[in-house]
C-alpha cells in the first residue's frame, strides 16, 4: 500500500504505527497513541474528524511490496480482538465520539456495510476537515521568504506580477508534441509538464541525460496503489487507501497521441524537507523548464525564484557552464529585467545581482536606481529584507540626498527666484534688471494659467513633492525649447592659462576664426561664472543668446515716453525693435516642435510688447536670458536620468541617485557607474547631437 499524499495528513505515521499481529498488544497500543499524540500531525492544514476501517481476509499474494513508497504493508489482521484494538486506536486517533460505537465495539459506519468477497486488501477511509483556527507556523529561516506566502508569476516586459496556481499542471509548459512527461515526485498521479526530450538533450547535462536514459529503459507497468482525493465538499475532503490509481496516461486530460510518450522523469523533493522547502523545490523544477522554454518565472519572491534557479543550474548544467550568464541571458531575452514600477521585483533583481555567487554590476545598477526611486514603497515590503544591509544603507542615503536636491529645486522654481544671479559687487544696469523681473512675473502668470495655481496643488508624488518627474519633464521641454530658439550656437567658453580663471571668457568660433565676445557694458561671463562656482554647476556649453541690434532710447520720463509712442517716430522705432527681436532667433533652422511650443509662442508675444522704447532691446534680451540661464541650471540637476539604464519609460519616480561607492563589492578608487549629472541634461545633449557639431571647448 502506497501513501500518495502529504505527510501532514498523518497517514504515513498511521501505517508505521501498525506492527505485525503477533506483537500487537494493549501496551503497544498505548505506546503508539502516545507517539501519535506527540507528533506534528495536528500542525498540518487538515485535521482528522473521524475514521473508519474494514478488514477483509486476502490471499497471501495480494500483499506485495509497494513500488511507489517502498514500504511493506502490514498483513491482514484476522482476529476480532486485534480488530477491536485497532478500532480503539483509530477512534482515539481520530477523536471519535463514543456514541458512534455499537455495543460489540464496531463503529456505526461499519454496521450494515456489505463487502464483496472479490475485494482484496485493506480499505481505510479517512474524513478530514480544515481547522477552524489558523495554525501558528514557524518562520522559515531562508532569506527573503515568508511562510505560506502566495506564489506569483512574473510575465516580464514590465507587466506586474500576478497570482499563480498551476503547480499541478502548467499549461505554459505542456507541449502536445512532447515525448517526455515530467512529474514533481513519484507519488503524483498526473504529469505537470510535457516537453520534448530534445530540449533536455540540448543542455548537454549528464544528470538529465541519465534521467532520460533510465526512464526510456524502464518497462511500463500498472501504477501501484495510491491514496487519492475523491471529493471535497464544504471544506471536508475524503481520502481512500487501498484503491488502484489510474495509469498516468488515463489521468492526463487531452494528452494527444499517447504513443509519442517515450520518457517519464521525476523530480521528488528531498527527504525530510519542510512544507516550504518542498514547495520551493517544485517551483524551482518548474522554473528550470521555464528557462529552457523561455517562459515566465514563478515563485514566492523574485529573489527566491532567481537564486533557487541559480542553485538548480549548478546541479543540472555541465560544469563548464556559466550559470550566471545563462540566467542573465534568460532575463534579457524575456525582458524580465524590466522592473519599472515594481518595487518587489526591483528588490529581487538587486538582491540577486549582489549575491556573492553572481555579482552582476549592470543588474545591480538597474535594481538600485529603481529601488531608490521607489524607496518609500519598497521599505514597507517584506522583499526589502532580501537586500543586503550595505545596499539598504546606500539606498537610504541616496534617497535622502535626492529629497534634499528636489527641495532646493522646489524652493527656486516655486517663485522662479534667482536674484542671486546678480552678485552684490556687480554693477547692475537698471534696464537689464528690470526686464529680468518682468520676465519672472510673466513666467509665474504663464504657469498659473497652465496649472491653475503655481506651484501646482493636488500634484504630489509618494514623497509629497509637487515637483514630480512629470512636472520637471514639462518644464524641461518648455525652457529647453526657449533655449534652442534664442541661443547663439557659435559662442562657447574659452580656457585661460590660469586654472582659477578657467571658462571666464566667452569666444565666438566661426569656421576657423575665434573672436572675443564684446560685453557691451553687461558682462554675462562674470555673472554666470560667479553663479556656477557658488552652486558648483558645470557651465552650460553655449551660454550666450542671440542679441538684437542695439537701439538707443530716449532718457525722458515714462509719461513722456508713452505720449511719444503716438508720434510717427516712436511708431517706427517700435516696429524696428519688434523686427530686431524676430531676426535674433533660430526660427529658420528649428523644427515645428520647438517653434510651436506654448512657452516659445507666449514669450514671443511678451517680448514684443514688454516696454518697447523704454529699454535697449539688446540689454532687455540679456536680462531675460540671465533668468533663463539660472532656470536651466537648476533643471539640469533634477531632470537627467542615470545613464545606460535598460528601462526607464513610463515611470513616475526619479532615476538619478548618487552611485559613488557602488556596487558594494567593488573596493578601491575609481568609479564603476556613471551618475546622472547636468552634462546629461538638455543643454549639453543638444550641443553635441541636434546641431551636428561638437564645438564645446571643454
Amino acid at each position: 500500500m502506497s501513501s500518495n499524499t502529504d505527510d501532514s495528513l498523518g497517514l504515513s505515521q498511521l501505517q508505521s504505527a501498525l506492527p505485525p499481529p503477533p506483537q500487537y498488544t494493549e501496551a503497544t497500543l498505548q505506546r503508539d497513541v502516545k507517539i501519535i499524540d506527540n507528533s506534528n500531525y495536528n500542525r498540518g492544514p487538515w485535521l482528522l474528524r473521524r475514521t473508519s476501517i474494514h478488514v477483509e481476509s486476502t490471499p497471501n499474494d495480494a500483499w506485495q511490496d509497494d513500488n511507489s513508497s517502498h514500504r511493506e504493508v502490514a498483513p491482514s489482521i484476522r482476529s476480532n480482538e486485534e480488530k477491536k484494538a485497532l478500532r480503539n486506536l483509530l477512534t482515539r486517533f481520530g477523536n471519535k465520539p463514543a456514541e458512534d460505537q455499537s455495543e460489540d465495539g464496531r463503529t456505526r459506519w461499519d454496521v450494515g456495510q456489505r463487502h464483496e468477497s472479490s475485494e482484496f486488501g485493506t480499505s481505510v477511509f479517512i474524513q478530514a476537515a480544515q481547522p477552524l483556527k489558523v495554525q501558528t507556523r514557524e518562520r522559515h529561516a531562508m532569506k527573503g521568504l515568508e511562510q505560506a506566502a502566495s506564489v506569483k508569476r512574473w510575465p516580464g516586459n514590465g507587466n506586474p506580477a500576478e497570482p499563480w496556481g498551476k503547480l499541478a499542471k502548467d499549461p505554459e509548459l505542456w507541449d502536445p508534441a512532447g515525448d517526455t512527461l515530467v512529474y514533481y515526485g513519484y507519488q503524483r498521479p498526473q504529469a505537470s509538464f510535457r516537453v520534448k526530450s530534445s530540449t533536455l538533450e540540448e543542455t548537454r547535462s549528464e544528470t538529465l541525460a541519465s534521467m532520460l536514459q533510465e526512464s526510456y529503459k524502464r518497462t511500463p507497468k500498472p501504477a501501484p496503489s495510491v491514496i487519492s482525493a475523491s471529493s471535497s465538499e464544504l471544506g471536508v475532503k475524503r481520502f481512500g487507501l487501498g484503491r488502484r490509481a489510474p495509469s498516468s496516461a488515463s489521468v492526463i486530460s487531452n494528452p494527444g497521441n499517447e504513443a509519442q510518450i517515450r520518457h517519464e522523469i521525476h523530480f521528488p523533493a528531498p527527504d525530510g524537507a519542510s512544507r516550504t522547502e518542498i514547495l520551493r523545490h517544485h517551483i524551482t523544477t518548474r522554473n528550470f523548464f521555464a528557462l529552457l522554454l523561455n517562459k515566465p518565472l514563478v515563485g514566492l519572491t523574485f529573489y527566491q525564484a532567481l537564486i533557487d534557479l541559480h542553485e538548480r543550474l549548478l546541479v543540472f548544467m555541465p560544469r563548464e557552464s556559466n550559470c550566471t550568464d545563462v540566467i542573465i541571458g534568460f532575463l534579457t531575452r524575456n525582458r524580465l529585467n524590466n522592473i519599472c514600477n515594481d518595487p518587489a521585483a526591483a528588490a529581487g533583481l538587486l538582491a540577486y545581482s549582489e549575491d556573492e555567487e553572481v555579482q552582476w554590476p549592470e543588474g545591480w545598477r538597474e535594481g538600485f536606481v529603481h529601488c531608490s526611486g521607489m524607496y518609500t514603497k519598497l521599505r514597507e515590503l517584506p522583499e526589502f529584507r532580501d537586500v543586503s544591509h550595505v545596499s539598504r544603507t546606500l539606498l537610504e542615503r541616496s534617497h535622502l540626498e535626492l529629497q534634499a536636491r528636489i527641495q532646493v529645486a522646489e524652493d527656486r522654481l516655486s517663485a522662479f527666484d534667482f536674484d542671486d544671479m546678480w552678485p552684490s559687487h556687480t554693477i547692475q544696469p537698471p534696464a537689464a534688471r528690470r526686464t529680468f523681473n518682468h520676465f519672472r512675473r510673466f513666467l509665474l502668470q504663464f504657469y498659473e494659467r497652465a496649472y491653475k495655481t503655481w506651484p501646482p496643488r493636488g500634484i504630489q508624488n509618494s514623497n509629497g513633492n509637487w515637483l514630480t518627474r512629470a512636472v520637471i519633464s514639462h518644464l524641461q521641454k518648455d525652457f529647453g525649447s526657449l533655449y534652442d530658439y534664442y541661443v547663439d550656437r557659435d559662442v562657447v567658453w574659452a580656457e585661460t592659462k590660469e586654472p582659477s580663471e578657467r571658462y571666464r571668457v566667452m569666444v565666438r568660433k566661426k569656421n576657423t576664426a575665434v573672436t572675443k565676445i564684446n560685453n557691451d557694458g553687461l558682462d554675462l561671463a562674470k555673472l554666470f561664472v560667479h553663479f556656477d562656482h557658488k552652486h558648483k554647476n558645470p557651465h552650460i556649453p553655449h551660454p550666450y543668446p542671440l542679441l538684437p541690434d542695439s537701439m538707443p532710447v530716449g532718457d525722458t520720463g515714462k509719461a513722456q515716453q508713452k505720449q511719444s509712442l503716438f508720434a510717427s517716430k516712436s511708431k517706427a522705432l517700435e516696429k524696428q525693435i519688434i523686427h530686431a527681436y524676430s531676426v535674433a532667433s533660430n526660427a529658420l533652422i528649428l523644427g515645428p516642435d520647438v517653434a510651436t511650443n506654448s512657452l516659445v509662442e507666449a514669450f514671443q508675444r511678451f517680448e514684443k510688447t514688454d516696454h518697447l522704447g523704454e529699454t535697449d532691446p539688446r540689454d532687455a534680451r540679456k536680462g531675460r536670458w540671465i533668468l533663463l540661464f539660472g532656470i536651466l541650471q537648476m533643471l539640469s540637476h533634477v531632470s537627467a536620468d542615470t545613464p545606460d539604464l535598460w528601462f526607464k519609460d513610463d515611470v513616475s519616480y526619479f532615476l538619478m541617485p548618487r552611485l559613488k561607492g557602488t556596487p558594494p563589492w567593488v573596493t578601491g578608487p575609481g568609479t564603476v557607474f556613471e551618475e546622472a549629472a547636468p552634462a546629461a541634461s538638455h543643454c549639453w545633449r543638444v550641443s553635441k547631437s541636434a546641431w551636428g557639431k561638437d564645438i564645446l571647448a571643454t
Side-chain angles (χ1 to χ4, degrees):
M1 182 183 303
S2 67
S3 177
N4 184 25
T5 188
D6 198 336
D7 287 343
S8 64
L9 296 175
L11 299 179
S12 59
Q13 292 94 326
L14 176 59
Q15 287 183 343
S16 62
L18 298 177
Q23 290 80 23
Y24 206 89
T25 62
E26 183 65 26
T28 312
L29 279 172
Q30 298 296 331
R31 181 198 65 192
D32 292 338
V33 170
K34 183 177 180 181
I35 292 175
I36 293 174
D37 289 343
N38 293 332
S39 68
N40 293 329
Y41 172 79
N42 289 330
R43 298 180 185 177
W46 295 91
L47 300 180
L48 290 178
R49 175 175 292 178
R50 58 184 183 177
T51 57
S52 170
I53 183 169
H54 174 70
V55 182
E56 285 286 345
S57 299
T58 58
N60 293 333
D61 57 357
W63 298 91
Q64 300 174 354
D65 180 65
D66 191 306
N67 293 328
S68 176
S69 62
H70 300 286
R71 298 176 182 171
E72 290 189 358
V73 180
S76 175
I77 303 174
R78 301 178 183 275
S79 66
N80 292 331
E81 182 178 354
E82 291 169 348
K83 292 181 182 180
K84 184 176 181 180
L86 183 56
R87 289 193 188 95
N88 291 336
L89 171 63
L90 293 175
T91 300
R92 186 169 182 178
F93 178 71
N95 197 22
K96 175 178 172 55
E99 58 269 14
D100 284 342
Q101 301 180 9
S102 59
E103 295 179 358
D104 58 356
R106 292 185 298 170
T107 64
R108 295 183 182 179
W109 307 325
D110 296 332
V111 177
Q113 290 188 359
R114 300 179 60 186
H115 308 280
E116 300 295 335
S117 59
S118 62
E119 294 182 354
F120 298 102
T122 303
S123 60
V124 179
F125 293 91
I126 301 175
Q127 192 170 14
Q130 291 179 337
L132 298 179
K133 296 182 178 180
V134 178
Q135 302 291 334
T136 302
R137 302 178 179 179
E138 295 182 0
R139 180 183 177 85
H140 199 268
M142 294 297 292
K143 179 182 178 184
L145 178 66
E146 289 286 347
Q147 182 75 5
S150 59
V151 182
K152 296 181 285 294
R153 174 181 177 272
W154 291 275
N157 200 26
N159 296 312
E162 56 192 20
W164 184 83
K166 305 292 184 180
L167 196 63
K169 179 180 177 182
D170 194 335
E172 289 185 300
L173 303 180
W174 191 272
D175 184 0
D179 62 350
T180 302
L181 295 178
V182 182
Y183 296 81
Y184 285 125
Y186 290 100
Q187 299 176 358
R188 293 272 179 172
Q190 178 177 347
S192 297
F193 320 134
R194 180 171 177 173
V195 297
K196 293 182 176 68
S197 58
S198 59
T199 302
L200 301 181
E201 293 170 351
E202 290 173 357
T203 63
R204 295 180 298 174
S205 168
E206 296 180 0
T207 303
L208 297 177
S210 177
M211 296 176 69
L212 287 173
Q213 186 177 8
E214 292 177 1
S215 66
Y216 184 76
K217 292 182 177 180
R218 186 183 300 119
T219 303
K221 54 186 176 182
S225 302
V226 296
I227 302 174
S228 59
S230 60
S231 64
S232 176
E233 297 179 359
L234 299 178
V236 177
K237 289 189 176 181
R238 191 170 182 84
F239 298 90
L241 268 69
R243 297 181 178 180
R244 292 286 182 179
S247 64
S248 60
S250 63
V251 297
I252 301 174
S253 59
N254 300 324
N257 186 4
E258 297 303 330
Q260 295 178 354
I261 303 301
R262 301 174 56 195
H263 307 277
E264 293 184 2
I265 56 178
H266 303 260
F267 295 87
D271 294 336
S274 65
R275 286 176 174 272
T276 304
E277 291 170 342
I278 293 174
L279 177 62
R280 289 181 63 168
H281 178 87
H282 294 335
I283 287 175
T284 307
T285 299
R286 184 262 175 211
N287 285 340
F288 173 75
F289 284 91
L291 181 143
L292 298 181
L293 300 175
N294 285 315
K295 299 297 182 181
L297 285 180
V298 302
L300 303 178
T301 68
F302 196 57
Y303 166 76
Q304 164 265 317
L306 291 175
I307 203 66
D308 286 356
L309 180 59
H310 187 99
E311 294 176 356
R312 186 67 62 89
L313 289 178
L314 293 175
V315 176
F316 283 166
M317 300 301 290
R319 294 182 178 180
E320 63 273 13
S321 299
N322 190 322
C323 297
T324 300
D325 290 345
V326 173
I327 293 182
I328 291 174
F330 168 70
L331 294 175
T332 304
R333 287 192 306 272
N334 296 277
R335 298 171 68 90
L336 287 166
N337 55 343
N338 186 349
I339 52 177
C340 296
N341 303 306
D342 191 343
L349 182 64
L350 177 62
Y352 172 73
S353 300
E354 68 180 355
D355 189 87
E356 60 182 5
E357 298 293 333
V358 180
Q359 293 188 348
W360 178 21
E362 293 78 13
W364 190 92
R365 175 183 56 196
E366 192 82 9
F368 184 85
V369 172
H370 284 274
C371 283
S372 176
M374 298 181 285
Y375 182 76
T376 54
K377 296 180 180 179
L378 173 64
R379 62 185 179 184
E380 304 297 332
L381 299 177
E383 285 82 358
F384 189 51
R385 292 189 291 272
D386 292 343
V387 182
S388 69
H389 174 73
V390 175
S391 293
R392 290 201 301 268
T393 302
L394 292 172
L395 282 172
E396 182 181 11
R397 291 178 180 177
S398 67
H399 171 73
L400 294 175
E401 188 278 334
L402 178 59
Q403 288 305 301
R405 206 186 328 162
I406 295 296
Q407 187 61 51
V408 171
E410 282 190 341
D411 294 342
R412 287 276 193 176
L413 297 175
S414 61
F416 297 106
D417 183 10
F418 291 88
D419 285 339
D420 57 339
M421 295 287 293
W422 304 85
S424 57
H425 64 274
T426 303
I427 300 176
Q428 303 176 4
R433 182 63 184 272
R434 187 164 53 249
T435 57
F436 175 94
N437 293 329
H438 291 171
F439 183 40
R440 177 167 60 184
R441 287 195 293 269
F442 160 78
L443 292 177
L444 290 173
Q445 294 173 359
F446 176 82
Y447 284 106
E448 283 178 0
R449 290 193 298 268
Y451 287 94
K452 297 183 179 180
T453 59
W454 187 262
R457 297 176 182 175
I459 301 178
Q460 290 186 348
N461 57 20
S462 58
N463 297 307
N465 301 119
W466 64 262
L467 192 59
T468 63
R469 182 180 174 89
V471 173
I472 289 178
S473 177
H474 183 195
L475 294 177
Q476 182 67 82
K477 183 178 180 180
D478 284 351
F479 289 103
S481 297
L482 195 60
Y483 170 82
D484 294 341
Y485 203 84
Y486 292 105
V487 68
D488 190 336
R489 302 179 178 187
D490 296 327
V491 178
V492 296
W493 292 98
E495 298 184 12
T496 60
K497 295 180 179 180
E498 296 295 332
S500 60
E501 299 291 329
R502 192 180 184 189
Y503 305 139
R504 285 187 178 271
V505 179
M506 295 180 186
V507 297
R508 183 182 302 277
K509 286 187 175 182
K510 193 71 171 180
N511 298 326
T512 59
V514 178
T515 58
K516 186 177 179 180
I517 295 297
N518 185 3
N519 295 312
D520 296 332
L522 180 59
D523 192 348
L524 293 182
K526 288 185 177 180
L527 285 176
F528 294 162
V529 168
H530 177 268
F531 179 77
D532 289 342
H533 283 181
K534 180 179 179 181
H535 299 285
K536 299 180 180 180
N537 299 327
H539 299 311
I540 290 178
H542 304 280
Y544 206 70
L546 291 171
L547 297 177
D549 294 334
S550 178
M551 296 182 185
V553 294
D555 54 359
T556 56
K558 186 175 182 181
Q560 295 177 349
Q561 288 288 344
K562 286 186 176 181
Q563 294 176 1
S564 65
L565 288 177
F566 294 96
S568 59
K569 186 176 180 179
S570 298
K571 284 290 185 179
L573 179 61
E574 178 183 352
K575 292 180 180 180
Q576 290 176 6
I577 294 175
I578 294 175
H579 178 262
Y581 279 140
S582 178
V583 171
S585 71
N586 295 311
L588 298 179
I589 59 177
L590 293 176
D593 292 341
V594 174
T596 59
N597 179 271
S598 58
L599 179 60
V600 172
E601 292 179 339
F603 178 79
Q604 291 175 356
R605 295 190 296 269
F606 160 74
E607 190 175 46
K608 293 174 183 179
T609 57
D610 182 35
H611 298 276
L612 290 179
E614 297 180 15
T615 307
D616 186 347
R618 195 175 187 88
D619 289 338
R621 176 68 65 84
K622 285 184 178 181
R624 300 181 187 108
W625 183 262
I626 292 172
L627 180 56
L628 177 61
F629 184 94
I631 295 173
L632 289 170
Q633 283 286 37
M634 182 52 59
L635 288 175
S636 69
H637 288 279
V638 293
S639 60
D641 293 330
T642 299
D644 302 323
L645 290 178
W646 296 323
F647 304 99
K648 59 181 181 179
D649 296 333
D650 301 325
V651 299
S652 59
Y653 48 87
F654 295 105
L655 300 173
M656 48 185 177
R658 295 300 184 209
L659 297 175
K660 185 179 180 180
T662 63
W665 63 84
V666 176
T667 58
T671 302
V672 177
F673 301 132
E674 183 181 355
E675 292 184 349
S681 63
H682 176 79
C683 296
W684 283 262
R685 288 187 291 105
V686 75
S687 69
K688 295 183 178 182
S689 59
W691 296 341
K693 51 185 177 180
D694 187 2
I695 58 175
L696 185 59
T698 59

